[in-house]
Amino acid sequence: AQTVTQSQPEMSVQEAETVTLSCTYDTSESDYYLFWYKQPPSRQMILVIRQEAYKQQNATENRFSVNFQKAAKSFSLKISDSQLGDAAMYFCAYRSSPSGGSNYKLTFGKGTLLTVNP
Amino acid sequence: EAQVTQNPRYLITVTGKKLTVTCSQNMNHEYMSWYRQDPGLGLRQIYYSMNVEVTDKGDVPEGYKVSRKEKRNFPLILESPSPNQTSLYFCASSPGTGLNTEAFFGQGTRLTVV
């Protein structure tokens, strides 16, 4: 079964600084997608960024970028120029096809709580 | 506005009293699923549905039921709730079954079983 590990339960960053959240995963599949979701205090799950396993180029969305290392099965999220509104729980998630036994479900890590200090 | 709507957002109930959490999406999505979120465990899939009348168990289905009679609705039923089902529940929908399709989540339902 696929597993997703977020080794940092909590992280903090100063406003305007850069922070990197770690995520590793375990899979034997070759075709899959990786996601980062943000959950602010409102509890809403918000998609931050996604990465296809076949693409070598790292995805970028404005201040958010990923460092995808397929061989190492690592998928870290970098937040640049951190803002107070970035404070949230961040979840790394993995999705593969039913051939990998997943029914297209998202497999989530346990989350990293990010605090942004003014 | 495209959205997934869950009701209620908060619910306190007693052990054994049947309850239903409703989920409705207005995006004509085929794939819907339910997750529960617990501290230190992340989100875990309870049940999913590939289309109308097609449902199946996820990773933690015990104590739950679902139905998919219409494409837009996917209610979660707890026939006899127990305290270990106290959790934050999310309904999610996706337009299809592609790997890259974005999952749209409801606002969450905080359930407390006493």
Side-chain angles (χ1 to χ4, degrees):
Chain A
Q2 296 86 4
T3 58
V4 177
T5 302
Q6 294 180 248
S7 59
Q8 307 151 315
E10 297 183 22
M11 291 280 286
S12 64
V13 63
Q14 290 296 126
E15 197 174 1
E17 297 295 309
T18 295
V19 65
T20 298
L21 308 184
S22 301
C23 173
T24 58
Y25 58 95
D26 185 27
T27 184
S28 57
E29 299 298 308
S30 58
D31 191 16
Y32 53 87
Y33 257 80
L34 296 162
F35 303 82
W36 278 98
Y37 279 89
K38 170 185 177 181
Q39 186 180 49
S42 67
R43 303 186 326 211
Q44 184 66 46
M45 294 289 286
I46 302 165
L47 177 64
V48 175
I49 198 165
R50 74 187 98 183
Q51 173 81 42
E52 181 179 7
Y54 275 112
K55 287 190 177 176
Q56 297 203 359
Q57 185 174 4
N58 290 324
T60 299
E61 291 285 347
N62 300 315
R63 298 181 295 107
F64 298 88
S65 62
V66 298
N67 183 3
F68 175 48
Q69 302 288 331
K70 190 172 183 179
K73 296 179 183 175
S74 172
F75 183 59
S76 60
L77 175 70
K78 185 171 82 170
I79 306 174
S80 304
D81 185 25
S82 297
Q83 301 175 0
L84 295 177
D86 294 333
M89 181 72 85
Y90 286 82
F91 290 100
C92 179
Y94 166 101
R95 175 191 275 158
S96 69
S97 68
S99 64
S102 79
N103 80 67
Y104 293 112
K105 74 177 179 185
L106 290 163
T107 299
F108 288 87
K110 296 180 180 181
T112 297
L113 182 62
L114 177 66
T115 302
V116 180
N117 301 310
Chain B
E1 179 188 356
Q3 60 185 2
V4 178
T5 304
Q6 285 180 236
N7 280 297
R9 292 205 63 189
Y10 299 91
L11 179 60
I12 301 175
T13 190
V14 296
T15 299
K17 185 177 181 181
K18 181 180 178 180
L19 67 91
T20 299
V21 183
T22 64
C23 173
S24 181
Q25 50 93 3
N26 62 1
M27 296 168 280
N28 201 37
H29 287 173
E30 293 178 347
Y31 185 89
M32 298 185 74
S33 59
W34 277 100
Y35 294 85
R36 61 178 288 173
Q37 181 181 351
D38 301 291
L41 295 178
L43 284 80
R44 295 174 292 167
Q45 190 187 55
I46 304 170
Y47 266 94
Y48 68 96
S49 170
M50 292 283 201
N51 213 323
V52 175
E53 303 292 1
V54 181
T55 64
D56 207 345
K57 297 176 181 178
D59 295 322
V60 289
E62 294 75 20
Y64 304 96
K65 286 175 56 178
V66 294
S67 68
R68 189 93 181 272
K69 295 185 171 65
E70 306 165 285
K71 199 171 188 178
R72 63 184 292 125
N73 295 323
F74 190 46
L76 179 70
I77 304 157
L78 285 72
E79 295 270 3
S80 183
S82 62
N84 64 12
Q85 291 178 297
T86 292
S87 188
L88 177 59
Y89 292 87
F90 285 97
C91 178
S93 73
S94 302
T97 51
L99 293 182
N100 66 331
T101 55
E102 179 179 351
F104 293 80
F105 285 83
Q107 318 95 305
T109 296
R110 171 73 68 186
L111 172 65
T112 301
V113 183
V114 298

